[in-house]
Amino acid sequence: MGSLYQSGGRCFVRQVFSGLPSMLQRRYSLDISARLLRTEGFIDGRWVSAASTFPVLDPATGEEVAKVSDCGTREAQDAVSAAYKAFHPWKNHTAKERSILLRKWFDLITQHKEDLAKLITAECGKPMKESLGEIAYSAAFVEWFSEEARRVYGDIVAPPAKDRKILILKQPVGVATIITPWNFPSAMITRKVGAALAVGCTVVVKPAEDTPLSALALAELSVQAGIPPGVINVVPCSREKTPAVGEVLCTDPLVAKISFTGSTATGKILLKHAAGTVKRVSMELGGHAPFIVFDSADVDKAVAGAMASKFRNSGQTCVCSNRFLVQSGIHDSFVEKLGKAMDVELRVGHGSEPTTTQGPLINVRAAEKVESQIADAVSQGAAIVRGGKRLKGSFMQPTLLSKVTTDMLCMREETFGPLVPVVKFNTEQEALDIANASQVGLAGYFYSRDIGQIWRVAEQMEVGMVGVNEGMISSPEAPFGGVKQSGLGREGSKYGVDEYLDIKYICFGGLAS
């Protein structure tokens, strides 16, 4: 059972856990500042109630954390109008003024990192250590773009004639629709919104229905930072209303730009919506990352990289390694050492427990998908080296499979769970053929100490990001994005601001003496 009450300006949600594991059989309190537990939509600087609400559930227990306003098409249209009204004065702020406000937002996010992390753990299920890491990552994007705001440069180009000058300006595109996923409910917002606000755009954020609380808390801190009304708007809604709300946000003629992170299938739908009014789009879509370990690799470092890449957020990241390809000479050693590392380092439990490293999957459907991939692989001859079992609710045992073949389901579709399928290969070209045999290409990883091989493989992998002897590659300073059906455009880095800018050419003539 769950209950919510306030005391001394802080909000508490208490739940009694039962089932697996035994550590969950205790009373748990979500103790955060009451000002940060927002449950209404945020439009034009005001908190707005909708006609109905939808529940936000703790994925570890299924218990209700909060009821949130279920915004519909009317609220979505109001949010777009508010953003459009705010766009013209916001773009006329100087870059320095926008930079200062973003820096204040960064400072507040950092100041409230504990409460923001608790919200992520409550609605997303991440272990608290990872949630704190996400808040640091989230804040880093705001800090980065607060600095990039003052570095949006144009050009002066040598003209073909003496009587003119050629000037190139960069200007904000306008209102941006921001549609974000549940697996990084804070960082995926700041990575997009930070860039948009830095260059003078305004935004309407549609957070995932599973994790709206983080988005609303960020909106509250933006108010405290002094960001003007209408610059940031948040429209939470239920799964049932998402298609209609998404259509409004992607077809309204006042919207100039769409930025989406999510599945490839949903991205294709949004692209169709955007086509009607030829909107600018950024799409960070599905991944199915290969993780290649060559005979020349340092096996211990490869195992450490695999642990970091695969089991972060219980395998629920778009850049998680999904397809493990290990060369025959070190295959057995790698599998043995990886199994031992899993035994030592992984602990399943509620994210609030300090010893937990593996929280729940986001919902039962996600657990069923992993379970089906394991069953499919085993039915075709794969061997379970570790784990393999579905636990209570949406919990899964971290699972290691050997004797995996490329025609198994886990090698053909993204997992989004704690499953490590290992394929043995013989030659470099064989590994590349397997790695590139996918319609998506977001991230890829490989381990090798052969310099020539490193250059060959890094250049030939058909992905947008490559980790060479490294399993953690995301950084605000680096461009994030993929190729093939993994999306369009880049986020983060100096290139991230370009997604929210139009280029204007000015020919200044009549200058002949």
Side-chain angles (χ1 to χ4, degrees):
M1 299 295 293
S3 61
L4 184 151
Y5 68 94
Q6 292 189 14
S7 175
R10 297 189 70 78
C11 189
F12 298 82
V13 178
R14 286 187 172 174
Q15 298 174 346
V16 179
F17 299 140
S18 61
L20 185 139
S22 58
M23 72 173 63
L24 299 186
Q25 297 179 4
R26 70 171 185 85
R27 185 173 293 274
Y28 164 66
S29 294
L30 171 61
D31 173 15
I32 68 167
S33 168
R35 290 187 69 182
L36 292 182
L37 187 59
R38 292 291 187 173
T39 58
E40 298 173 305
F42 184 67
I43 300 173
D44 202 14
R46 297 177 291 108
W47 296 102
V48 177
S49 296
S52 59
T53 62
F54 67 98
V56 177
L57 306 179
D58 180 340
T61 66
E63 294 288 340
E64 184 177 290
V65 176
K67 290 184 183 295
V68 174
S69 289
D70 193 3
C71 295
T73 56
R74 181 178 63 82
E75 288 83 7
Q77 289 167 341
D78 289 346
V80 170
S81 296
Y84 186 76
K85 181 180 69 174
F87 169 60
H88 295 281
W90 178 247
K91 75 173 182 178
N92 288 328
H93 278 61
T94 67
K96 184 176 181 179
E97 289 170 339
R98 293 195 298 268
S99 174
I100 290 170
L101 290 172
L102 285 170
R103 180 70 197 198
K104 289 179 180 178
W105 196 26
F106 160 77
D107 289 337
L108 286 165
I109 293 171
T110 303
Q111 178 184 333
H112 293 279
K113 62 184 179 181
E114 293 282 344
D115 281 356
L116 294 172
K118 289 176 184 178
L119 278 177
I120 291 175
T121 293
E123 64 181 349
C124 178
K126 285 185 183 180
M128 189 63 181
K129 182 179 179 181
E130 287 194 23
S131 295
L132 285 166
E134 179 179 343
I135 293 304
Y137 184 49
S138 175
F141 282 110
V142 179
E143 179 184 40
W144 172 261
F145 287 118
S146 75
E147 296 162 350
E148 287 299 290
R150 302 179 69 181
R151 297 179 177 87
V152 177
Y153 304 129
D155 284 302
I156 298 177
V157 179
K162 295 180 180 180
D163 66 341
R164 65 196 61 196
K165 298 293 183 183
I166 294 176
L167 311 176
I168 311 297
L169 303 184
K170 292 183 179 180
Q171 297 180 310
V173 298
V175 176
T177 286
I178 308 294
I179 303 178
T180 56
W182 51 263
N183 58 335
F184 285 88
S186 181
M188 294 303 95
I189 290 173
T190 60
R191 190 163 73 186
K192 300 171 186 292
V193 172
L197 267 58
V199 301
C201 294
T202 57
V203 299
V204 179
V205 179
K206 208 297 283 183
E209 62 273 11
D210 294 302
T211 56
L213 300 178
S214 293
L216 296 169
L218 288 173
E220 167 60 30
L221 292 178
S222 78
V223 174
Q224 295 180 30
I227 293 174
V231 173
I232 296 177
N233 305 272
V234 182
V235 183
C237 67
S238 62
R239 187 180 306 275
E240 291 73 23
K241 288 188 178 179
T242 289
V245 169
E247 184 172 355
V248 168
L249 296 180
C250 294
T251 59
D252 192 302
L254 298 183
V255 172
K257 161 80 179 180
I258 300 166
S259 180
F260 169 71
T261 296
S263 72
T264 298
T266 301
K268 291 177 179 179
I269 294 171
L270 300 186
L271 282 169
K272 290 179 181 178
H273 288 328
T277 46
V278 196
K279 300 185 190 302
R280 291 274 296 274
V281 294
S282 297
M283 296 276 158
E284 194 264 282
L285 307 177
H288 195 28
F291 188 102
I292 307 171
V293 187
F294 291 103
D295 283 343
S296 63
D298 182 318
V299 174
D300 291 332
K301 290 182 178 179
V303 167
M307 292 292 292
S309 175
K310 177 72 257 187
F311 293 110
R312 185 166 57 122
N313 197 18
S314 300
Q316 299 174 110
T317 84
C318 52
V319 293
C320 267
S321 298
N322 273 278
R323 299 171 291 153
F324 288 77
L325 315 176
V326 184
Q327 200 158 11
S328 54
I330 48 91
H331 173 274
D332 293 350
S333 173
F334 176 84
V335 171
E336 179 184 0
K337 289 184 176 184
L338 182 57
K340 290 179 178 178
M342 291 170 63
D343 293 340
V344 171
E345 298 179 27
L346 303 183
R347 294 290 180 273
V348 177
H350 192 279
S352 65
E353 292 289 343
T355 59
T356 294
T357 66
Q358 299 293 285
L361 301 191
I362 189 63
N363 52 42
V364 171
R365 295 187 306 278
E368 289 172 345
K369 180 180 180 181
V370 179
E371 187 179 29
S372 70
Q373 287 192 357
I374 295 170
D376 171 79
V378 171
S379 72
Q380 296 187 62
I384 297 176
V385 180
R386 292 291 191 283
K389 293 182 180 178
R390 166 89 176 275
L391 304 176
K392 182 179 176 63
S394 60
F395 284 94
M396 285 293 306
Q397 282 186 334
T399 299
L400 173 59
L401 300 178
S402 65
K403 300 181 181 178
V404 174
T405 59
T406 57
D407 54 351
M408 294 176 182
L409 196 58
C410 58
M411 293 294 290
R412 293 186 284 110
E413 65 176 30
E414 188 176 20
T415 300
F416 244 60
L419 172 61
V420 180
V422 180
V423 173
K424 183 189 292 187
F425 72 89
N426 293 310
T427 68
E428 179 183 306
Q429 190 57 52
E430 180 187 359
L432 281 168
D433 289 344
I434 295 171
N436 292 337
S438 174
Q439 293 183 335
V440 294
L442 188 57
Y445 309 84
F446 70 92
Y447 278 72
S448 170
R449 286 181 289 190
D450 180 332
I451 298 300
Q453 182 177 65
I454 286 173
W455 282 110
R456 287 193 305 272
V457 174
E459 290 182 346
Q460 292 181 58
M461 289 185 79
E462 296 174 0
V463 295
M465 300 173 285
V466 180
V468 182
N469 297 326
E470 179 56 59
M472 299 282 283
I473 59 175
S474 299
S475 167
E477 295 82 2
F480 191 102
V483 299
K484 299 181 178 178
Q485 293 188 32
S486 282
L488 303 165
R490 293 296 182 268
E491 295 185 334
S493 79
K494 68 177 184 180
Y495 303 104
V497 296
D498 290 338
E499 301 292 328
Y500 297 89
L501 290 167
D502 283 328
I503 294 176
K504 178 180 285 184
Y505 155 47
I506 299 175
C507 181
F508 189 176
L511 301 178
S513 56

